[in-house]
Every structure is written in structure tokens, then in C-alpha cells.
Amino acid sequence: MSAVLKSIGIVGAGQMGCGIAHVSAAAGYKVHIYDLNQERIESGLATIHGNLARQVANGKMTEEERKATLALISGSTDLNDFAPMDLVVEAATEDETVKKKIYTLVCPVLKPDAILATNTSSLSITRLAAATDRPERFMGIHFMNPVPVMKLVELVRGIATDEPTFEAAKAYVASLDKTATVAEDFPAFIVNRILLPMINEAIYTLYEGVGSVDAIDTAMRLGANHPMGPLQLADFIGLDTCLSIMQVLHDGLADSKYRPCPLLVKYVEAGWLGRKSGRGFYDYRGEVPVPTR
Ligand code: CAA
């Protein structure tokens, strides 16, 4: 394995993949983003442009640094472009079948000593690693949304992850000026094991009529000093992601306290996934977000 990582491949041009690309390029890594179609890549690159411009506007970055960051980022729909990468981070949809399919396509392209990581927010690292040709060089590197702002990254080893891989992942996270916590490979690790049941409880609070969308979010923003209300945060994360995490907790820990709220299921079945689909607990299609209940 190359002692120091220099180039990062990212699978998925969604909000997390582009956030990881943004912070990696800003730290000096050569970054390549892969997605299924060029439109998603262009849209992701536009988001990165916007976030970098915002950092220049508020003095967090110089114009030269912004240009240098952008010069390090490329994107394509060709997985062969991952061949020279030292580390590839999979940031695809939170679906185990999709992730495993990606690994079967990516592994043959990678250098023998390249590390493959996943940004999964809840799935078993050990089980995902078993679907690759390199369980020793497979890690969970779990970023928080929005990646350019959130300081935490969770590091999760599978049962086969070797020490050099763990050390390389730790050094990579430190080089991004982020703080790593180590979680054992159990459902939803630490952050989502605690955060998602709270969000699910907020949805039950709405479902049972204890409070309105506005009352619930205002209560937690002002009553618990949360930067976002739990329903607003659920829309930000994505209701499909929230549901998949609750299902992973419910199935993985076999405790009924993790059963997803029926209202969350209903929203996902309606395609109301939150910000990314324009509508969730709030409707984002107008000037200001409006509660949908
Ligand atoms: N992308 C990138 N940057 C963003 C952003 C986004 N979507 N939203 C806000 N920012 C940046 C702004 O540019 C600003 O940066 P500067 O200080 O450099 O200007 C900074 O964040 C503050 O933004 P705002 O002042 O506009 O808004 P805010 O003060 O309300 O902060 C927030 C926005 C940082 C998102 C804040 O609301 C927050 O921290 N929310 C909670 C987020 C959270 O809990 N994330 C974890 C979810 S769990 C998870 O991610 C794991 C998982 O697997 C699901």
C-alpha cells in the first residue's frame, strides 16, 4: 500500500460524495468523481463550485485556493478512471445491493494495494467487505452532512480490516482537519444509533398529533439548542436514508423500539424524500419552506 494517500476516487456525485470531493481537493488530494450519468456529475460539480465560492465570499478560502481546489477535481462515467487512485470512497445510495454491485465493478479496476472505503451511515462494514476482493483494505469512513461544515468522521473497521488501512484512513481524516471517532462495526455505529431514533421519535410525535411540524422543530431548536429541528434535519438527510437507517437498526438489533414510524414509511412511499425531492415534512418548492402537514 502506498504509505501516503495522494489521490481519492469517489463513487457517487450526490450531496455526500460531492462534499467528500470538496474537502479532499481542498486538502490537496487529486479527486475523481464517478457517477452513472454526466448530468449528475455536472450537477454535483456545480454544487462544489457554489460551496467553494461561498467559502471565498466569507473569507474562509482565497480565490487562489478555490482555483487550486477545483483544478484537482475531475469527474466521469468511466470506472476505469479509478485505476490510479490510492483510496476510493463509495458514497452511493444507502442500499446494500447497490453497494455490493458497485464493488464488483470497481475492485477489478483498482491497484492491488488501493484502499476501498464506504461512507455508509449504518450498514455492516464486515458484510460489505466480504463482497470485495480486499476485506483487509476495506474501511467505513463515515462523513456527516454537510461535509464541508461537520467536523466529525466516524471510522469503522470490518473484522478483517488491517492496521495499515486503519492508520491510512485515520491520517486521511486528520489531513482534512476533521476529528475521527472510532465506532465498532454494529448497526448505525455511534452518531446514527443515537440521532436517528430521536428523529424517528419526532416523527412519532407528529404522527400521534402531539405537536405540529412547526411546534416540534421549534421546540427542539429553542428547547434543546439544536441547530436544526429534527424534522428539518430529516428532510436535510433524506427521508429514504432515515428510513433505511431505522430498518437497519430494527433488523440488526431486533428491538421494537427501532421500528420506523408509519408516517416516515408513508412519506418515502410517496416519494416525498425531503430537500432532495423538493418535498418532505416541508415543501421546498416556494420561497420559504412550508410544513406539509
Ligand atoms: N453545504 C455546505 N455548506 C453548508 C451547507 C450545505 N448544505 N449549509 C450550510 N453550509 C455552511 C454555510 O456555507 C456556512 O458556512 P460558512 O460559515 O463558511 O459561511 C455554515 O454552513 C453555516 O451555514 P448557515 O449560517 O447558512 O446556516 P446554519 O448556521 O443554520 O448552519 C448547518 C447550517 C451547518 C447545516 C446547521 O444547520 C447544522 O449544523 N445542522 C445540523 C446538521 C447535522 O446534524 N448533520 C448531521 C446529520 S447526521 C449525518 O449526516 C450522518 C448520516 O449518515 C445521515
Side-chain angles (χ1 to χ4, degrees):
M1 171 187 321
S2 43
V4 177
L5 303 177
K6 295 188 178 64
S7 55
I8 313 289
I10 292 161
V11 179
Q15 58 180 349
M16 297 306 287
C18 288
I20 298 166
H22 173 149
V23 299
S24 299
Y29 294 93
K30 180 164 171 35
V31 173
H32 187 78
I33 306 173
Y34 161 87
D35 206 304
L36 285 169
N37 62 58
Q38 198 56 32
E39 301 80 79
R40 279 181 60 85
I41 291 169
E42 296 308 329
S43 156
L45 292 174
T47 302
I48 295 171
H49 272 266
N51 287 335
L52 287 170
R54 192 161 49 182
Q55 288 183 311
V56 172
N58 57 37
K60 295 259 174 88
M61 183 181 272
T62 66
E63 180 54 17
E64 290 64 37
E65 286 166 336
R66 184 188 72 85
K67 285 185 185 143
T69 300
L70 284 176
L72 287 171
I73 302 176
S74 57
S76 78
T77 58
D78 182 358
L79 280 173
N80 291 307
D81 292 333
F82 280 163
M85 297 295 157
D86 298 324
L87 163 68
V88 170
V89 182
E90 169 269 306
T93 184
E94 199 62 3
D95 176 316
E96 187 155 342
T97 307
V98 169
K99 291 181 183 303
K100 287 180 173 176
K101 176 92 178 84
I102 287 167
Y103 304 153
T104 56
L105 297 172
V106 165
C107 285
V109 171
L110 299 182
K111 297 185 295 190
D113 64 351
I115 296 172
L116 180 57
T118 175
N119 179 59
T120 183
S121 45
S122 63
L123 295 169
S124 163
I125 304 302
T126 299
R127 209 167 54 231
L128 292 175
T132 74
D133 65 352
R134 55 193 72 211
E136 299 75 16
R137 287 184 304 290
F138 188 86
M139 268 295 290
I141 304 181
H142 179 216
F143 291 83
M144 304 295 140
N145 189 7
V147 176
V149 181
M150 306 305 284
K151 294 298 280 180
L152 183 82
V153 177
E154 284 183 310
L155 290 178
V156 189
R157 302 172 72 145
I159 199 166
T161 305
D162 65 25
E163 198 57 28
T165 299
F166 176 70
E167 289 303 324
K170 208 160 69 167
Y172 165 61
V173 170
S175 73
L176 303 177
D177 190 26
K178 294 194 182 288
T179 300
T181 53
V182 178
E184 291 306 309
D185 185 19
F186 293 109
F189 317 134
I190 297 172
V191 171
N192 288 339
R193 170 77 180 265
I194 299 165
L195 181 67
L196 266 294
M198 180 205 67
I199 289 177
N200 195 49
E201 203 54 38
I203 301 169
Y204 264 108
T205 306
L206 177 65
Y207 172 66
E208 293 167 7
V210 179
S212 67
V213 168
D214 185 54
I216 291 163
D217 276 352
T218 302
M220 293 309 287
R221 260 202 328 273
L222 304 188
N225 236 11
H226 289 187
M228 278 177 168
L231 301 175
Q232 181 191 3
L233 180 54
D235 277 352
F236 186 65
I237 291 168
L239 300 188
D240 50 340
T241 301
C242 293
L243 177 56
S244 75
I245 295 168
M246 289 311 299
Q247 285 164 336
V248 165
L249 284 167
H250 191 226
D251 300 345
L253 300 175
D255 189 326
S256 65
K257 73 179 176 181
Y258 297 115
R259 78 244 175 273
C261 177
L263 185 59
L264 174 59
V265 176
K266 189 191 291 272
Y267 270 73
V268 173
E269 286 172 343
W272 294 18
L273 306 181
R275 276 184 181 277
K276 62 183 169 184
S277 68
R279 197 168 27 169
F281 290 108
Y282 294 84
D283 187 330
Y284 299 92
R285 295 173 296 180
E287 278 299 299
V288 292
V290 177
T292 50
R293 275 176 87 83

